[in-house]
Amino acid sequence: MIKFEEISPSDFFYRNKEIAGFENPAKACYTIVREFLENSLDACELGGFLPEIEIYMKSVNIEEKRLRIKVIDNGIGVPHDKIPLAFGKILYSSKYVLRQHRGIFGLGGKMAVLYSQITTNNPFRVISATPNNGYISFYELKIDILRNEPIILKRSKIINQNGWHGLILECEFIGDYLLSKKKIFEYLFQTSIAVPYARIYYQDYEGNALLFERKTDKIPPIPEETLLHPKGVDLEMLKRLIKINPNLPLNRFLAKNFQRIGQKAAEEILKLANIEFEKPVSKLTEEEIVRLYNVMKSYPFKRPSANSLSPLGESFAIGIKETFNPEFLSYDMREPSSFEGHPFIVETAIAYGGDIPIPEQNEINLFRFANKIPLIYDSYNDVSMKVIKNINWSIYKLNIYQEPIAFFVHICSTKIPYKTLGKEYIANQPEIYKEIELSIRKNARLLSAYINKKRIIEYQKIRYKYLKEYIEKIANFACILANEDPKKIKNNIVKLVEINDAS
Ligand code: ADP
Ligand code: MG
């Protein structure tokens, strides 16, 4: 007999750890650092606080590879009664709204604590205080995997004496630190490029301590929440919205739930779909919903608003300059664009010289970021790598494999088309591909012009040096030929060389 059963979301992720970046003890170790750090950065930025984050990696038992991680931030914290669900219920998140943030599915931090529990069977600890709230909350929690519910083991509140706000998370897990260390360092290093307004301190049990100092006090503006763009909606979503607002007349329903639909557009859409304007949405038939959906797909709406996005802007250039001290840097931000109803902005930079290394054999120096997260793994499958490889660099007279050139690409969007839940590389989405290409080409032209000029100046210098050495002889020959005073000819030649040199 075939047996059917239903499993909870936490059970699903328990059985399929690898899709969220926990496929082996080394990757798990890296993913845990990353998810906690990303949650902390999101929490600081949402409150407009300059991030101060400390991460401690301790060893509990070297042979068993049992580690303990503690992350401290100064973000907005989680309200007392929401803590158990925020950390103990998979797919529970404050980030389902349409706004750019690092988290995507209400999954990352919780997968980390779930992983901690299944490898050590120990509870995890959360200490949190929200701003301007008189107390600090302490929790010791576990997750009931089968029911996808938090289990509260301990909980208490104490008076917040000095107004601290933020969150401290601590858990034990089995992980291969030695194998993941390099990637963790690289991840922190690249985070400090994209988030130069953060101060990040990392310390491990081997005695390594990394401090990434804040390089600027300017935090990019906090993105706003936006409504869905009609093109980003599928039939299922449309039906859910109808269920939430059953009594609204159709024209009001459209204007209230979607951006870019005003009264006039709503009427035009309903006319095209041949549905009565004032009909309450709950009275729509299945066919009418499908007709409405089809018109919404083809109607020429304006592009989605980009208010919900937070590009790095000036911070990106500061982060790159302070980190690599390049001889030349060209930065470019594209105008907002969109795919499937989601707005996105591409920013790229090309840096040359300074501390930029010459790439290793046949490699390309490419630093990828998405919603301010560095992407470290799988660069060869990423859309940015495809763009760079497909450009014919000889037209820019640049050898990207052998010169100290580095590319930086940041994509921000309310939906990043990651190929995997582990958020490691971005799919080859045609609109995104095009924007990256245009931006990189613009920077490439400027770098090409800079290097060209540099080559000309160097050539002039060599020429000048050479001419200076032989100027006496040239003047003597010339005066014999021209029957002139050698002194005058020499002065004229010097002037000519100097003019060329200055040009
Ligand atoms: P996601 O980040 O995708 O929403 P997580 O499981 O990582 O999922 O986090 C769940 C929720 O817990 C977040 O949406 C956020 O509201 C809250 N949270 C997690 N970490 C922090 C933190 N350091 N400070 C404040 N809130 C946090
Ligand atoms: Mg998260």
Side-chain angles (χ1 to χ4, degrees):
M1 256 263 283
I2 303 170
K3 188 171 154 237
F4 291 92
E5 62 176 330
E6 183 183 345
I7 61 168
S8 75
S10 41
D11 203 8
F12 173 79
F13 286 107
Y14 168 66
R15 295 176 194 208
N16 299 284
K17 294 179 283 297
E18 60 293 340
I19 59 176
F22 291 82
E23 55 264 47
N24 58 55
K27 189 77 189 296
C29 193
Y30 159 83
T31 305
I32 288 175
V33 173
R34 181 181 146 155
E35 292 294 347
F36 287 167
L37 177 59
E38 285 167 15
N39 279 351
S40 290
L41 288 170
D42 270 346
C44 293
E45 286 174 17
L46 268 178
F49 305 121
L50 285 167
E52 299 258 354
I53 297 165
E54 291 169 33
I55 306 172
Y56 298 90
M57 184 69 79
K58 295 188 182 139
S59 167
V60 181
N61 183 325
I62 295 247
E63 263 126 59
E64 287 178 13
K65 298 201 165 109
R66 188 184 271 251
L67 300 159
R68 180 185 300 133
I69 185 169
K70 181 172 182 178
V71 179
I72 308 173
D73 69 50
N74 63 332
I76 52 173
V78 178
H80 188 78
D81 55 330
K82 295 281 188 303
I83 292 175
L85 292 178
F87 293 96
K89 191 176 178 72
I90 302 282
L91 304 185
Y92 183 88
S93 169
S94 59
K95 302 177 189 171
Y96 286 122
V97 292
L98 266 194
R99 167 164 56 196
Q100 175 190 330
H101 26 53
R102 295 172 175 83
I104 37 174
F105 292 122
L107 194 67
K110 272 176 300 263
M111 268 310 287
V113 291
L114 181 74
Y115 182 83
S116 121
Q117 178 175 323
I118 58 183
T119 54
T120 68
N121 198 31
N122 271 2
F124 55 95
R125 241 167 264 137
V126 181
I127 303 172
S128 154
T130 52
N132 309 318
N133 214 337
Y135 57 85
I136 300 176
S137 313
F138 286 82
Y139 272 91
E140 217 172 88
L141 299 163
K142 273 188 151 186
I143 302 177
D144 180 336
I145 298 174
L146 287 176
R147 291 172 47 225
N148 191 26
E149 292 289 346
I151 306 171
I152 301 170
L153 299 171
K154 283 186 193 156
R155 122 172 86 182
S156 62
K157 265 185 191 177
I158 60 158
I159 294 185
N160 193 349
Q161 302 278 9
N162 52 13
W164 173 75
H165 58 82
L167 195 124
I168 302 174
L169 214 152
E170 206 174 347
C171 68
E172 267 183 38
F173 62 97
I174 304 282
D176 196 329
Y177 184 61
L178 296 184
L179 274 186
S180 61
K181 194 169 64 175
K182 228 177 111 200
K183 289 270 188 211
I184 294 175
F185 291 178
E186 182 64 25
Y187 178 77
L188 295 170
F189 168 70
Q190 292 200 25
T191 299
S192 78
I193 299 175
V195 193
Y197 46 89
R199 181 179 188 274
I200 302 172
Y201 178 71
Y202 179 85
Q203 192 184 310
D204 68 13
Y205 63 90
E206 288 190 312
N208 298 306
L210 311 180
L211 173 63
F212 299 96
E213 258 308 349
R214 177 168 299 128
K215 302 175 184 90
T216 169
D217 282 344
K218 270 198 219 147
I219 199 164
I222 307 165
E224 293 168 14
E225 261 182 64
T226 49
L227 294 173
L228 278 168
H229 187 275
K231 286 224 189 311
V233 174
D234 54 30
L235 257 175
E236 175 57 30
M237 175 80 83
L238 190 58
K239 285 184 188 166
R240 282 189 203 179
L241 290 171
I242 289 172
K243 265 206 181 123
I244 300 171
N245 311 268
N247 299 320
L248 277 185
L250 250 178
N251 49 359
R252 291 251 321 279
F253 166 82
L254 290 177
K256 183 183 159 218
N257 283 291
F258 300 100
Q259 50 167 296
R260 306 301 190 212
I261 303 192
Q263 201 53 39
K264 200 175 136 247
E267 281 169 17
E268 271 177 32
I269 291 166
L270 292 171
K271 212 185 235 165
L272 287 168
N274 197 15
I275 310 175
E276 218 180 293
F277 295 180
E278 308 264 315
K279 188 165 188 171
V281 282
S282 55
K283 296 262 151 57
L284 285 174
T285 62
E286 271 293 311
E287 289 85 66
E288 282 175 327
I289 296 177
V290 173
R291 281 214 302 277
L292 177 63
Y293 168 75
N294 285 334
V295 173
M296 279 167 71
K297 280 278 145 217
S298 56
Y299 190 82
F301 294 106
K302 276 198 207 140
R303 281 175 173 195
S305 136
N307 295 350
S308 53
L309 302 184
S310 166
L312 292 165
E314 195 191 341
S315 301
F316 205 15
I318 293 176
I320 298 168
K321 256 191 215 151
E322 295 286 320
T323 311
F324 292 102
N325 195 20
E327 178 187 320
F328 174 89
L329 174 68
S330 175
Y331 161 80
D332 173 61
M333 190 197 300
R334 299 280 306 159
E335 287 294 314
S337 185
S338 69
F339 73 97
E340 295 166 9
H342 289 276
F344 72 93
I345 294 179
V346 163
E347 311 172 77
T348 75
I350 300 186
Y352 172 84
D355 298 332
I356 303 275
I358 300 217
E360 282 171 23
Q361 216 185 359
N362 258 331
E363 298 272 324
I364 293 170
N365 287 327
L366 166 63
F367 295 85
R368 301 168 294 132
F369 304 88
N371 285 353
K372 304 185 192 167
I373 303 176
L375 307 179
I376 310 280
Y377 284 91
D378 288 333
S379 70
Y380 275 82
N381 295 313
D382 191 274
V383 58
S384 301
M385 188 60 96
K386 296 217 164 91
V387 170
I388 294 172
K389 288 205 154 174
N390 286 345
I391 289 177
N392 174 5
W393 289 97
S394 63
I395 60 170
Y396 299 105
K397 299 201 182 71
L398 297 173
N399 186 341
I400 59 168
Y401 296 98
Q402 278 163 17
E403 287 179 276
I405 296 174
F407 298 89
F408 300 82
V409 179
H410 179 224
I411 300 161
C412 56
S413 176
T414 46
K415 182 182 175 191
I416 301 275
Y418 288 114
K419 271 281 197 177
T420 59
L421 278 185
K423 295 185 279 185
E424 285 303 348
Y425 68 97
I426 297 175
N428 197 347
Q429 214 284 331
E431 284 92 344
I432 294 184
Y433 184 103
K434 193 179 109 218
E435 289 296 308
I436 298 175
E437 180 176 6
L438 289 171
S439 187
I440 285 187
R441 281 191 186 277
K442 181 172 171 196
N443 287 324
R445 276 195 297 278
L446 293 171
L447 174 60
S448 178
Y450 170 80
I451 291 185
N452 217 8
K453 190 163 174 200
K454 193 172 143 176
R455 282 189 194 130
I456 292 171
I457 292 173
E458 262 158 26
Y459 169 73
Q460 299 276 23
K461 273 191 195 142
I462 293 167
R463 194 164 144 263
Y464 184 51
K465 195 174 140 237
Y466 183 76
L467 276 172
K468 243 178 162 175
E469 261 173 42
Y470 294 99
I471 211 152
E472 209 74 50
K473 282 196 178 122
I474 295 169
N476 283 339
F477 277 130
C479 82
I480 293 166
L481 288 174
N483 211 6
E484 275 279 6
D485 175 10
K487 226 181 186 171
K488 194 174 146 202
I489 286 211
K490 189 180 156 191
N491 283 343
N492 282 346
I493 294 174
V494 169
K495 262 190 221 148
L496 200 69
V497 173
E498 277 171 353
I499 286 167
N500 274 336
D501 201 34
S503 64

